[in-house]
Amino acid sequence: MQDIVIGYAGKYGTTKELSKRLEAELRAIATQSADQRREIDILRLPVRELSVEHIHDARVVVLGGPIYAGRLPRVLRKFCERNRTALLSRDIGLFISCLYQDQQARDQLVQAFPQWLFDHAIASANLGGRVKLDELKSIDRLLVKRFGKIDQDLDRIDDRRISSFAGELYSVLKRELG
Ligand SMILES: Cc1cc2nc3c(=O)[nH]c(=O)nc-3n(C[C@H](O)[C@H](O)[C@H](O)COP(=O)(O)O)c2cc1C
């Protein structure tokens, strides 16, 4: 059985990067934890490669996705709906990657995942976002510039939030392990 399964989505790599940093932080917390008797098992995959067996085989499931025009990618929304029963049987952590901040970001976090999943989650966070205009497809660059009013590269990845989100997840895992 895996201790934690992390599934992520996203077109431009920031959410994947956040999932990597989250995994590293979880491993660091586990190593520092005085009562830790073994390394924690973490499986980290794009959500399109995750199956219902992965959910059943996990103590804690973490799902993360970027916000594009207010929504999570379809692949992640579909994954949640398809696996509703399995997800409701597990401890769940949810995160988003986005560029908005403060109240706008909090609103996006609440609205991004289905209500039933958000209500069930034991932790949720906006871990921040990043945009490199040169790397965007031209239609996406246009949207970001016009509607997001962004005209330069931005890096709003929030390492402190990654740490505290990892801390919350780890304390739930520790309770599970007894
Ligand atoms: C087409 C597009 C639409 C976006 N829309 C939003 C948005 O509505 N709100 C927001 O906070 N950030 C928005 N962003 C910023 C992304 O959420 C942010 O860049 C995120 O880190 C991208 O993750 P990824 O690299 O995994 O794709 C948008 C980015 C793109 C490319």
Side-chain angles (χ1 to χ4, degrees):
M1 187 165 214
Q2 296 288 334
D3 292 319
I4 302 186
V5 168
I6 304 175
Y8 59 88
K11 281 198 275 190
Y12 296 110
T14 311
T15 317
K16 181 177 182 180
E17 170 68 22
L18 292 173
S19 74
K20 273 190 200 167
R21 293 194 198 186
L22 181 63
E23 175 178 352
E25 192 61 31
L26 281 161
R27 291 192 189 286
I29 295 173
T31 308
Q32 288 152 18
S33 173
D35 55 346
Q36 182 63 28
R37 290 172 295 258
R38 59 168 177 82
E39 282 194 9
I40 55 173
D41 298 314
I42 302 178
L43 177 69
R44 196 172 51 78
L45 283 176
V47 88
R48 71 184 127 75
E49 291 175 30
L50 277 189
S51 66
V52 70
E53 286 77 24
H54 288 117
I55 302 173
H56 286 307
D57 195 41
R59 292 191 167 85
V60 178
V61 176
V62 181
L63 297 174
I67 300 294
Y68 304 135
R71 305 180 82 185
L72 290 170
R74 187 181 155 85
V75 64
L76 181 51
R77 288 185 279 127
K78 290 272 163 203
F79 178 86
C80 295
E81 294 304 339
R82 205 170 50 244
N83 295 294
R84 180 176 181 143
T85 309
L87 289 168
L88 287 173
S89 73
R90 287 289 171 272
D91 284 325
I92 303 289
L94 302 172
F95 74 88
I96 60 167
S97 174
C98 74
L99 286 177
Y100 288 176
Q101 295 168 293
D102 307 317
Q103 192 56 42
Q104 270 185 309
R106 282 193 289 277
D107 290 346
Q108 289 189 138
L109 174 61
V110 172
Q111 285 156 19
F113 290 92
Q115 185 79 45
W116 56 265
L117 187 57
F118 189 78
D119 291 345
H120 176 74
I122 45 94
S124 60
N126 163 32
L127 302 183
R130 188 169 61 188
V131 75
K132 291 182 185 158
L133 291 172
D134 278 356
E135 291 179 1
L136 300 183
K137 288 184 190 155
S138 47
I139 176 74
D140 286 349
R141 187 161 49 241
L142 200 76
L143 287 172
V144 163
K145 282 186 170 178
R146 185 164 301 169
F147 298 109
K149 309 247 181 295
I150 289 163
D151 53 10
Q152 60 181 11
D153 293 354
L154 285 178
D155 186 341
R156 292 189 176 148
I157 291 181
D158 191 330
D159 283 315
R160 276 190 317 181
R161 271 204 229 122
I162 296 173
S163 295
S164 65
F165 185 52
E168 285 181 82
L169 295 171
Y170 187 71
S171 58
V172 171
L173 176 66
K174 239 172 52 177
R175 213 171 55 213
E176 282 268 324
L177 293 172

